Amino acid sequence: MSNIKISVKNLYKIFGDNPSEMIEHLEAGYTKESLLKEFGHVLGLRKINMDILQSDTQVIMGLSGSGKSTLVRHFNRLITPTTGDIIIDDENIIKKTDLEIRNMRRHKISMVFQNFALFPHRTVSQNIAYGLITQGLEQGKINSKIDKWIDKVGLNGFEDHYPSQLSGGMQQRVGLARALATDGEIILMDEPFSALDPLIREEMQEVLLKLQKDIQKTIIFITHDLDEALKLGDSIAILNNGEIVQKGSPQNIILRPINNYVAKFTKNINRSRVIQVSSIMDDDLKVNGPTIDGNMLIENALEVLSEKGSLTGIVTHNSKPIGSVNLYKLIKVINQPALIK
Amino acid sequence: MDNLYTFPSMDPQALRDLKKSIDSSFLEFSRSYGEAIEIFFEPLLLTLVWLEKLLIESPWPITILVLTGLAWITSRSWLATLFSATAFLIIGYLGMWPDTMATLAIISVATLLCIVFGIPVGIWISHSQRAKFVITPILDVMQTIPSFVYLIPVVMLLGIGKVPGLIAVGIYATPPIIRLTNLGIESVSNDVLEAADAMGASRLQKLLDVQLPLALPSIFAGVNQTIMMSLSMVVIASMIGVKGLGLPVLRAISNQYLALGLMNGLAIVALAIIFDRIAQLYGKRLQSYKETIQNE
Ligand SMILES: Nc1ncnc2c1ncn2[C@@H]1O[C@H](COP(=O)(O)OP(=O)(O)OP(=O)(O)O)[C@@H](O)[C@H]1O
Ligand SMILES: [Mg+2]
């Protein structure tokens, strides 16, 4: 399972006239702010290192301007880094020629955009077909793929509509189908659902989750909504001023934010609904009480304990005991820890 | 003190020599290349002559039928079609049929020339900053120089006749289509281009599948302007031997024939209105994808 699909190594991106000369200033300790002030260059990304696993959904979070879009556009080389490497399936995509990059975009990596970026002059079907046309597929195959994806994303009946005739949610279904139709292994999603109403957003998250169950793509998903990140992400990386400040499992980020910037992201969530029992259990196996599955959320575990009238419970994994929890601990975890001073 | 009141101009003799040398060298040029240039434009002349003959010599009911049919196909508007038919009938009844057809022929060929030349140049300057830097001022000059002035070298090169007339009209009417093609391509939103890039479109695919289709309404506005500008050149072009509605207007000016001038002038206006309406309706149809469906 833990195949590394994408590996980012020492990636820097600086915007300006002499970007490569700025690297040494950064090494010498300049920050995004001081680099802009003294040298007039904008720091986009700084020393990014990360591995993304095959078939995982890697979420990237961060405040506006933290470099999320800049980072994600490196994976399909819409942006070329100042220095650094990106290895996808043992190939360094920074070294690829223009033609190789075009082929990679046609066959391997596709992208979904925040503002949908549909072709306004093409119908729904024609939008979905575009990636297949650049692949050079024959019309018969294109048609059968269009039908398949129209069906999968629930756009039946809208085939001949133009994007302007669709609601935002419907438009992003087209964006999703357009990206998935090419059968690439990697999907880049730059805040794909941010422009949608909360209800539609949840609906789209469900669509994506359901699809991902059978397509098993490697997804890089950008969002600034932690609920969305928790729902979709296998792993989360948090960017600030072009740097990764913390990365890891969603549980880890919530339970152990490395600094206030990260803690602020996690502040407003309902912790009892996202933290799993296994991530906060004790090792002590010598307790009595009902069994609780390790993947159970705190909220549900509390219910089990109170139903049985027990202060403690045994945490299991595949029905084997692996630890224990007690009521006091569960309640303590629900309470927001004080921000780091 | 004297120098402040009379401009210290060039020595008159030197100035005369300068002008003379420019004239003679251009004359030299036209003597040695005039024929080659004429041969180069031969196909243009043949097209024009063929079209003119076709329009004038075909039985008029058929011509009207074909023209109004074209109006219907492009505009899909009964009103515009009816207007065109009526206008042509009145024009014919008032004895201006052959002149109107001759003008129609030269306008059509001139517009075609402008499109064939203007759209590629418009595309080119959208893709090359350097080309844009060079060509934009040339367009400015083409549009502002009084048309009589550039008639002179054209006439020196090619004499008087249809082709020089066509070229004069072409020079005057090409800039809008170049500019509007460029504008149309440049105003295609970056998001959409980025999406095409992300799907691995090549430069040519981006141009053909995204930029040109989205620029089409703007290009079409350019074609419309080009037609209007060539119509407005009809009278001037008739000074260098182009047949059509311009000629009677010219005659009317020198002889003070009010009715003659007015009628032919109005026929030009009628043509302009027909072209303009039809072009605009067609342009609107090109953008039908922008309309949202009501009641949904
Ligand atoms: N082409 C560019 N030229 C100069 N600076 C740029 C360019 N693109 C991005 N930047 C800068 O890089 C930084 C990161 O921008 P980026 O768009 O990646 O942020 P983001 O995290 O996606 O923000 P948002 O949430 O608003 O989309 C910003 O400071 C931005 O101003
Ligand atoms: Mg962004």
Side-chain angles (χ1 to χ4, degrees), chain A residues 205-300:
Chain A
Q205 290 162 0
E206 296 302 330
V207 170
L208 181 63
L209 275 175
K210 207 172 128 227
L211 285 170
Q212 172 66 352
K213 236 182 222 150
D214 26 276
I215 55 181
Q216 294 285 307
K217 306 283 184 193
T218 305
I219 299 177
I220 299 173
F221 192 101
I222 291 181
T223 179
H224 49 236
D225 173 3
L226 188 68
D227 285 320
E228 189 168 69
L230 295 172
K231 197 164 175 184
L232 303 173
D234 296 301
S235 173
I236 298 179
I238 297 187
L239 277 179
N240 185 21
N241 282 338
E243 276 179 284
I244 294 186
V245 287
Q246 188 171 8
K247 59 187 175 215
S249 72
Q251 299 285 316
N252 203 28
I253 301 249
I254 296 167
L255 288 168
R256 285 174 281 281
I258 200 169
N259 60 19
N260 281 343
Y261 179 82
V262 179
K264 273 185 190 145
F265 274 103
T266 65
K267 203 173 63 184
N268 290 325
I269 52 158
N270 181 344
R271 294 161 63 88
S272 71
R273 280 198 190 155
V274 294
I275 299 173
Q276 295 169 347
V277 175
S278 61
S279 39
I280 53 150
M281 66 188 179
D282 300 317
D283 295 336
D284 184 11
L285 285 172
K286 287 179 237 118
V287 298
N288 296 316
T291 57
I292 295 167
D293 188 87
N295 289 335
M296 199 180 272
L297 300 176
I298 292 181
E299 188 179 60
N300 303 331

Side-chain angles (χ1 to χ4, degrees), chain A residues 76-114:
Chain A
N76 61 353
R77 286 292 307 276
L78 285 175
I79 297 181
T80 300
T82 306
T83 72
D85 297 307
I86 297 177
I87 318 291
I88 300 182
D89 291 335
D90 298 324
E91 284 183 293
N92 189 347
I93 64 158
I94 308 305
K95 301 244 154 68
K96 283 183 186 273
T97 63
D98 285 355
L99 185 67
E100 288 169 332
I101 288 170
R102 217 179 298 143
N103 274 324
M104 177 181 84
R105 291 173 182 164
R106 286 174 180 171
H107 297 282
K108 194 157 191 164
I109 299 192
S110 50
M111 189 159 180
V112 183
F113 300 86
Q114 175 173 8

Side-chain angles (χ1 to χ4, degrees), chain B residues 35-165:
Chain B
E35 205 168 336
I37 292 171
E38 241 164 81
I39 290 169
F40 179 79
F41 285 114
E42 181 85 1
L44 208 59
L45 180 66
L46 292 178
T47 318
L48 180 56
V49 170
W50 171 79
L51 186 66
E52 204 178 278
K53 224 166 141 182
L54 184 74
L55 283 169
I56 296 177
E57 293 182 2
S58 303
W60 62 266
I62 293 180
T63 312
I64 288 193
L65 217 61
V66 170
L67 289 176
T68 46
L70 281 175
W72 165 248
I73 288 170
T74 42
S75 72
R76 294 294 152 91
S77 148
W78 283 115
L79 203 66
T81 313
L82 196 70
F83 178 84
S84 318
T86 319
F88 280 126
L89 287 172
I90 294 175
I91 283 169
Y93 189 66
L94 292 179
M96 299 182 288
W97 186 253
D99 281 343
T100 306
M101 289 304 110
T103 295
L104 201 58
I106 190 161
I107 297 305
S108 307
V109 177
T111 304
L112 212 65
L113 185 69
C114 293
I115 290 174
V116 167
F117 180 76
I119 291 182
V121 174
I123 293 171
W124 183 38
I125 63 175
S126 310
H127 286 84
S128 156
Q129 275 305 314
R130 209 171 334 154
K132 191 174 182 179
F133 184 78
V134 175
I135 292 192
T136 309
I138 298 180
L139 295 183
D140 292 337
V141 173
M142 276 164 83
Q143 272 185 308
T144 44
I145 198 167
S147 24
F148 290 102
V149 174
Y150 65 74
L151 285 185
I152 302 162
V154 172
V155 171
M156 280 171 80
L157 259 181
L158 298 163
I160 278 181
K162 288 187 167 78
V163 171

Side-chain angles (χ1 to χ4, degrees), chain A residues 2 28 30 33 102 105 151 154-155 162 182 186 218 267 283:
Chain A
S2 58
Y30 273 88
E33 224 174 26
R102 217 179 298 143
R105 291 173 182 164
D151 202 46
L155 280 168
Y162 285 101
T182 59
I186 301 167
T218 305
K267 203 173 63 184
D283 295 336

Side-chain angles (χ1 to χ4, degrees), chain A residues 128 144-157 159 173 177 207 210-211:
Chain A
I128 298 174
S144 67
K145 285 202 179 194
I146 293 174
D147 290 345
K148 170 179 146 190
W149 284 104
I150 291 264
D151 202 46
K152 281 207 176 194
V153 300
L155 280 168
N156 305 76
E159 292 86 346
R173 282 171 196 254
V207 170
K210 207 172 128 227
L211 285 170

